[in-house]
Amino acid sequence: IDEGIRSELIGIVNYGIIGLIQLHLGYSDSEDITVERALDLYDKYMTETKELMYAKNHDYDEAWRSMRISSYTDLILTKICRTKQMIQWLVFLSRLIVGGTFVFSGFVKVIDPYGTVYKFQDYFSAFHLDFLSSFAMLFSVALSVIEFVLGVHLLFGSYRKSTPRLIFIFLCVMTPVTLYLAIANPISDCGCFGDAVHLSNWATFFKNVLLLIIVLFLVYRNTSLRALYNQQVQWLTGLYSLLFVFFFV
């Protein structure tokens, strides 16, 4: 693109469309789409932008004709910056809510593993799986480690694509279980937060549904906010989390 007002405006339009594609795909540390895919997305968002302009022109007539080129530039840049900041804040709050919940849930199980063992034994008895009671301690430690490590990874933004997906799979398994517990009520307390916080089965189910919705948002938008550490050292968060958990176990 050459120098000049017209060329700069064309550049801003191109960067605006690239920004829309970036919001759709999220941030990536490496090249993850083909040229053909990028061109298809460019045409898609260009068409949507033109249709939006036609709709705005229908509503406001041609009032935009009296605006200067610099005004368009300011509007475009302001909108892009504001949208990006809003999404980043939503990602940050979502990480705090889901990550904090998982860290707290895993931590209270770690400091009282036998309480979780007794809860697993209640589950096995309710579902007539008494032969698994001898593995209750193994299940207790494994569940504590999984929840705590996933929560730490999400809070720190480590493995921004895989972490929310793993949490989503985890919740997809646990949410139907909690729904059954809420309906059948074989035990009164699910034991999600050990003895620290007692929730009814229905409260647990709705908590999982809320977390599931937030995590679904993170699956698509978690890459919009950078991680606390570089990708090369993100494995350290998992290592220190494991050491912390096994210290209490």
Side-chain angles (χ1 to χ4, degrees):
I1 299 176
D2 298 328
E3 297 293 332
I5 296 177
R6 176 181 173 84
S7 298
E8 291 295 332
L9 186 59
I10 292 174
I12 289 175
V13 172
N14 282 329
Y15 283 125
I17 296 174
I18 292 172
L20 291 174
I21 297 174
Q22 185 81 335
L23 287 173
H24 172 71
L25 297 179
Y27 176 81
S28 176
D29 296 316
S30 59
E31 186 175 316
D32 59 350
I33 62 172
T34 62
V35 175
E36 292 76 13
R37 172 62 173 161
L39 291 175
D40 289 340
L41 289 171
Y42 185 94
D43 293 337
K44 174 179 179 289
Y45 284 104
M46 173 63 81
T47 302
E48 291 181 0
T49 303
K50 287 174 64 178
E51 291 176 352
L52 178 61
M53 178 183 174
Y54 294 150
K56 289 290 186 181
N57 196 52
H58 177 271
D59 294 337
Y60 301 106
D61 201 25
E62 295 188 357
W64 54 272
R65 292 282 290 160
S66 62
M67 295 175 61
R68 294 179 297 177
I69 297 293
S70 58
S71 298
Y72 295 127
T73 305
D74 293 340
L75 284 173
I76 292 172
L77 295 177
T78 301
K79 288 287 186 182
I80 292 176
C81 183
R82 189 174 300 170
T83 302
K84 184 178 180 180
Q85 288 178 343
M86 181 168 50
I87 291 177
Q88 288 178 339
W89 271 108
L90 287 175
V91 170
F92 176 73
L93 291 175
S94 299
R95 286 182 184 178
L96 282 181
I97 294 172
V98 180
T101 301
F102 269 70
V103 167
F104 178 71
S105 179
F107 180 73
V108 296
K109 291 185 179 73
V110 165
I111 60 178
D112 183 22
Y114 286 101
T116 308
V117 168
Y118 299 145
K119 186 56 64 175
F120 267 112
Q121 290 174 344
D122 291 341
Y123 275 113
F124 296 148
S125 177
F127 289 104
H128 306 290
L129 300 172
D130 298 291
F131 65 94
L132 292 175
S133 296
S134 57
F135 301 100
M137 177 59 76
L138 177 63
F139 285 119
S140 173
V141 174
L143 182 61
S144 305
V145 170
I146 290 173
E147 288 184 338
F148 190 84
V149 173
L150 286 177
V152 170
H153 277 322
L154 192 63
L155 283 175
F156 289 162
S158 302
Y159 305 106
R160 291 174 299 167
K161 289 186 177 181
S162 57
T163 299
R165 290 172 182 173
L166 290 174
I167 294 178
F168 180 76
I169 293 172
F170 180 88
L171 289 173
C172 283
V173 174
M174 298 305 297
T175 302
V177 173
T178 55
L179 177 60
Y180 172 79
L181 293 176
I183 296 174
N185 198 33
I187 55 177
S188 59
D189 178 23
C190 73
C192 296
F193 300 114
D195 290 328
V197 178
H198 295 280
L199 296 176
S200 67
N201 289 329
W202 278 112
T204 302
F205 169 70
F206 288 123
K207 180 261 296 180
N208 284 348
V209 170
L210 178 61
L211 292 178
L212 196 59
I213 295 172
I214 299 175
V215 170
L216 187 60
F217 166 74
L218 287 175
V219 168
Y220 290 99
R221 295 299 184 188
N222 195 41
T223 54
S224 301
L225 188 61
R226 289 180 177 271
L228 188 61
Y229 301 107
N230 293 331
Q231 189 174 9
Q232 291 78 9
V233 297
Q234 288 180 0
W235 61 274
L236 289 173
T237 59
L239 176 62
Y240 289 139
S241 299
L242 287 174
L243 293 176
F244 180 81
V245 168
F246 287 118
F247 173 78
F248 281 95
V249 174

